[in-house]
Amino acid sequence: AQRVTQPEKLLSVFKGAPVELKCNYSYSGSPELFWYVQYSRQRLQLLLRHISRESIKGFTADLNKGETSFHLKKPFAQEEDSAMYYCALSGLGGSNYKLTFGKGTLLTVNP
Amino acid sequence: GAGVSQSPRYKVTKRGQDVALRCDPISGHVSLYWYRQALGQGPEFLTYFNYEAQQDKSGLPNDRFSAERPEGSISTLTIQRTEQRDSAMYRCASSSGLRNTEAFFGQGTRLTVV
């Protein structure tokens, strides 16, 4: 069975501090990993995905297959980063349409 | 519209009533998904359509839940004989259907069963 674990429900940092949102997964194959973000009163939207290997809004995430992790990092947090963050995975191939989400981490960046 | 549109945004219904939730995907998107999100949880997959064909309904919790997409565009998720445990945010998403394309989510419908 596939599962995504986000161990922190809440994370609070000060503006300018580094931030890391943790995500671990279990999947019996090669998954595709994503980070979705929901800002206040907005819809859930894709932040980044591991196959793109991009940096979006200063965030990066590296897939570590050995540790089955896909942690989201940003060196200097901004107040506008305050949001709910969800890690998600899908299978490659035939089941690549179905996303399995973690429970989410609420990030608060304080001034 | 430019994005996925869901209606109503909020729905309060009495236990035992039927409800129908609507999703209007991005124009031209062939794939459509329904997810349910309970308070404090992440979204959970319910069902998936490719055009009008329901390809996967493994996430529907029981036979009170059904979904259709008769013309391959707008989809309706119907919950019959609602129960309090059905209270949740119901999210719809669509994608172009090409491999590895992004799924775009609607604003969601907040369902409260009283």
Side-chain angles (χ1 to χ4, degrees):
Chain A
Q2 53 197 63
R3 187 171 65 244
V4 176
T5 302
Q6 294 180 250
E8 304 136 330
K9 272 188 120 170
L10 303 169
L11 185 61
S12 182
V13 300
F14 285 102
K15 176 183 170 182
V19 63
E20 180 179 69
L21 289 87
K22 291 185 168 49
C23 172
N24 289 91
Y25 68 90
S26 66
Y27 186 75
S28 58
S30 293
E32 182 171 2
L33 274 296
F34 308 80
W35 277 98
Y36 278 81
V37 60
Q38 186 171 20
Y39 301 102
S40 179
R41 289 187 286 277
Q42 294 188 27
R43 60 191 69 198
L44 195 60
Q45 59 187 281
L46 179 66
L47 179 63
L48 55 79
R49 57 203 305 177
H50 89 270
I51 60 170
S52 300
R53 304 182 73 84
E54 296 173 298
S55 172
I56 306 292
K57 299 185 178 183
F59 284 97
T60 59
D62 290 318
L63 180 61
N64 185 323
K65 292 186 179 181
E67 296 182 358
T68 59
S69 68
F70 188 57
H71 303 327
L72 184 68
K73 300 177 185 179
K74 184 169 182 176
F76 307 103
Q78 303 299 313
E79 288 180 68
E80 55 265 31
D81 296 329
S82 296
M84 193 73 178
Y85 290 81
Y86 295 96
C87 183
L89 73 76
S90 71
L92 293 175
S95 62
N96 67 345
Y97 57 85
K98 186 189 297 190
L99 290 167
T100 298
F101 287 86
K103 292 186 177 182
T105 298
L106 180 62
L107 174 65
T108 302
V109 181
N110 301 295
Chain B
V4 178
S5 178
Q6 291 186 246
S7 60
R9 291 286 310 280
Y10 303 92
K11 176 71 177 177
V12 180
T13 191
K14 290 187 177 178
R15 191 176 51 178
Q17 297 293 306
D18 297 351
V19 294
L21 312 181
R22 174 187 163 120
C23 174
D24 195 347
I26 292 172
S27 178
H29 276 191
V30 304
S31 299
L32 185 146
Y33 320 82
W34 284 98
Y35 287 82
R36 178 172 72 169
Q37 185 172 12
L39 204 59
Q41 304 294 314
E44 291 182 338
F45 172 81
L46 293 178
T47 187
Y48 157 64
F49 290 85
N50 199 38
Y51 295 98
E52 72 281 359
Q54 191 172 22
Q55 303 279 20
D56 184 344
K57 56 181 182 178
S58 63
L60 296 177
N62 53 60
D63 61 8
R64 295 186 297 105
F65 287 72
S66 62
E68 62 175 10
R69 193 186 184 197
E71 296 178 3
S73 179
I74 292 169
S75 177
T76 303
L77 177 70
T78 301
I79 309 172
Q80 295 180 310
R81 305 180 302 282
T82 52
E83 301 178 5
Q84 283 191 319
R85 59 179 171 155
D86 299 334
S87 296
M89 174 71 81
Y90 289 83
R91 298 189 186 275
C92 176
S94 71
S95 71
S96 66
L98 298 174
R99 185 181 170 84
N100 295 330
T101 55
E102 178 180 349
F104 292 86
F105 282 83
Q107 294 273 36
T109 294
R110 168 73 66 188
L111 175 66
T112 302
V113 183
V114 297

